[in-house]
Amino acid sequence: MNRGSELPQHYLSSLQYSWHVRNSWLRWCKSIPMTELMKRRIGGQGSILETLLHIIDVENSWINAIRGKNDVPLTIQDHNTLASVEEISAQTIKMTDTFVRVELPHLQIDKEIIVSWDDSNYSIDSILHHIIFHSVHHMGQLSIWARQMNRAPVDISYLNTEMELEDK
């Protein structure tokens, strides 16, 4: 069941929203001291920087699984600076964007994927939705932490983002 040319755009618009919000959080982090970005917190992955890296790692891992590539987990030990997380985010966005635009149109969206870290099978459609919803879930966690720091969180309104993306 490949729905043709509308399929990549269906996922791409949601992923672009996710990337826009992620990049907004990465910009937000530039005004925060590194000690605050690495401070242990309740929820998420334990810190702001680790949570952002986790969002990227999940996207990276699942796209590589669909592509039949090995999972190489992204760790805070390897990406322990904001610049490093920004860099791996940009690389992951480029990889995912290329996958959705070039490879996805040739795949059966209901094809079951087996991953190395789980015993279950998942359809490509379910995986792509998971990547998007997982990101949104953690953006909410980041917003809570921002408020706990008495800082305004990033605007994660889809409507505002949609207008910004259309202007580009």
Side-chain angles (χ1 to χ4, degrees):
M1 173 180 96
N2 192 335
R3 293 181 243 162
S5 63
E6 78 276 1
L7 186 63
Q9 188 55 44
H10 166 76
Y11 296 108
L12 199 54
S13 62
S14 295
L15 287 163
Q16 286 171 333
Y17 159 76
S18 174
W19 298 332
H20 174 81
V21 174
R22 181 163 82 211
N23 286 334
S24 296
W25 275 112
L26 289 167
R27 280 190 304 279
W28 179 92
C29 286
K30 290 181 180 191
S31 68
I32 308 297
M34 192 62 180
T35 54
E36 282 294 313
L37 295 179
M38 292 302 292
K39 182 179 177 181
R40 301 310 298 163
R41 301 175 189 280
I42 297 171
Q45 293 301 302
S47 77
I48 293 170
L49 197 63
E50 286 174 285
T51 298
L52 286 164
L53 182 61
H54 170 70
I55 294 164
I56 299 160
D57 180 48
V58 166
E59 180 179 327
N60 195 32
S61 294
W62 282 107
I63 296 298
N64 279 328
I66 295 170
R67 298 171 79 209
K69 297 188 179 239
N70 290 334
D71 179 37
V72 180
L74 304 176
T75 67
I76 198 67
Q77 291 76 23
D78 294 331
H79 302 281
N80 58 5
T81 66
L82 181 56
S84 179
V85 172
E86 288 176 306
E87 183 178 331
I88 197 66
S89 178
Q91 291 170 6
T92 300
I93 288 169
K94 184 176 179 180
M95 175 195 66
T96 303
D97 185 72
T98 300
F99 165 77
V100 171
R101 291 176 191 272
V102 177
E103 297 174 45
L104 184 61
H106 304 287
L107 297 176
Q108 295 298 316
I109 201 68
D110 56 352
K111 178 183 176 186
E112 296 282 316
I113 303 297
I114 302 168
V115 294
S116 61
W117 61 88
D118 193 335
D119 293 334
S120 301
N121 297 348
Y122 302 96
S123 71
I124 293 172
D125 180 61
S126 294
I127 291 169
L128 292 171
H129 281 99
H130 173 70
I131 291 168
I132 295 159
F133 298 143
H134 174 263
S135 175
V136 172
H137 161 78
H138 282 295
M139 297 306 169
Q141 180 66 58
L142 293 170
S143 294
I144 290 168
W145 287 340
R147 287 187 180 99
Q148 289 173 346
M149 296 166 59
N150 295 317
R151 294 191 180 249
V154 165
D155 180 6
I156 60 171
S157 168
Y158 179 78
L159 298 175
N160 294 341
T161 303
E162 186 177 44
M163 289 186 294
E164 287 181 36
L165 293 173
E166 287 175 359
D167 291 342
K168 291 184 178 180

